[in-house]
Amino acid sequence: MAVADPEVGAPTPVTNGLEVVAGLVDAYAGRTPVETVAVVGNAPVPPDPERAAAIDAADLVFRVNGFALDGPQQPRGLGTRADVVVTQWALEATPWVFADYRSRLYLYNEPGMMYADVERLPAWWPPDLGLVPIPNREVHQPLSRALGFDPAQPRWATTGTVAAWLARLLYPDARLLLAGFSFIWTPVQSTWDHAYGGASVLTGDHELIAEATMLRSWIEDGTAEYLR
């Protein structure tokens, strides 16, 4: 398996921690080879059966943090699959976060550890969850450079952007579908709503304008497709 070099856009062999992540993500995909990847953020979306069907038809579906899925008695809009969950310690519980968790891959997203921001996992998480850390050197640091962040400053991408970056990194030739990313179109926010539950405060270690600019550029150049 090869991934795209985020600096030059050319495939390069996976190495070290990223090689472990790449193999596990491939193993948890709904179908291989992975030709379509859906990355679904947690912003509220209006019902749309076509969007939900496109997400569920992807070969691989990423979700993030306290995600929501379509229920049997609800209008379809979000889809029902979650192959890989990219999460961090401060996620808010939803009915779907750890439901059927043994059938999913959970990737632990904590770039703050590069700046001594180390947190304990909540005691209510399943003790046998088997979290796999996302490597800082091969994922977060190149992403921060792509976003124009000063590596000496404690600033990093939101979990949704990390999931999108990882999907593009691992499957550079796949069709990338994005949904549930409100900041792409509204990058100036201090709080944001969730598809399940209320709003949360945006912490100061994020820079949404930089993230929105990058994801919008993917959509504009055809690298990604946004499911409105």
Side-chain angles (χ1 to χ4, degrees):
M1 182 180 188
V3 297
D5 185 331
E7 303 295 335
V8 301
T12 184
V14 293
T15 58
N16 303 326
L18 187 57
E19 184 175 22
V20 174
V21 171
L24 287 170
V25 170
D26 216 43
Y28 278 85
R31 288 175 297 276
T32 56
V34 174
E35 297 178 345
T36 305
V37 184
V39 181
V40 187
N42 291 333
V45 296
D48 185 338
E50 291 187 5
R51 182 198 312 111
I55 293 169
D56 283 343
D59 298 320
L60 174 64
V61 180
F62 282 84
R63 304 279 176 170
V64 299
N65 290 329
F67 63 89
L69 301 176
D70 289 333
Q73 307 302 321
Q74 298 173 318
R76 285 176 53 75
L78 291 168
T80 59
R81 287 179 48 212
D83 302 320
V84 177
V85 180
V86 180
T87 187
Q88 47 91 35
W89 71 274
L91 72 83
E92 297 187 16
T94 74
W96 302 274
V97 170
F98 294 129
D100 198 26
Y101 67 90
R102 291 186 178 91
S103 68
R104 300 175 181 147
L105 175 63
Y106 287 77
L107 298 178
Y108 191 50
N109 176 54
E110 276 301 332
M113 290 190 291
M114 293 186 291
Y115 305 95
D117 180 20
V118 180
E119 303 288 349
R120 291 181 178 271
L121 296 180
W124 54 271
W125 285 23
D128 62 341
L129 185 60
L131 283 170
V132 178
I134 295 175
N136 287 325
R137 181 179 294 109
E138 294 120 324
V139 178
H140 290 120
Q141 290 179 354
L143 173 54
S144 290
R145 289 195 295 270
L147 292 171
F149 296 164
D150 180 352
Q153 299 298 319
R155 180 167 292 183
W156 49 82
T158 57
T159 308
T161 297
V162 172
W165 177 266
L166 187 61
R168 190 179 185 196
L169 189 64
L170 297 181
Y171 302 100
D173 298 322
R175 180 186 178 208
L176 177 59
L177 306 178
L178 303 176
F181 285 82
S182 64
F183 67 80
I184 294 178
W185 318 112
T186 311
V188 179
Q189 302 185 41
S190 57
T191 63
W192 46 16
D193 294 329
H194 295 270
Y196 183 88
S200 64
V201 176
L202 184 69
T203 57
D205 41 51
H206 300 309
E207 175 50 72
L208 291 185
I209 293 176
E211 296 184 42
T213 300
M214 185 179 73
L215 295 184
R216 244 192 344 261
S217 73
W218 295 0
I219 295 166
E220 291 167 355
D221 69 14
T223 302
E225 176 183 346
Y226 193 78
L227 305 178
R228 294 181 180 272

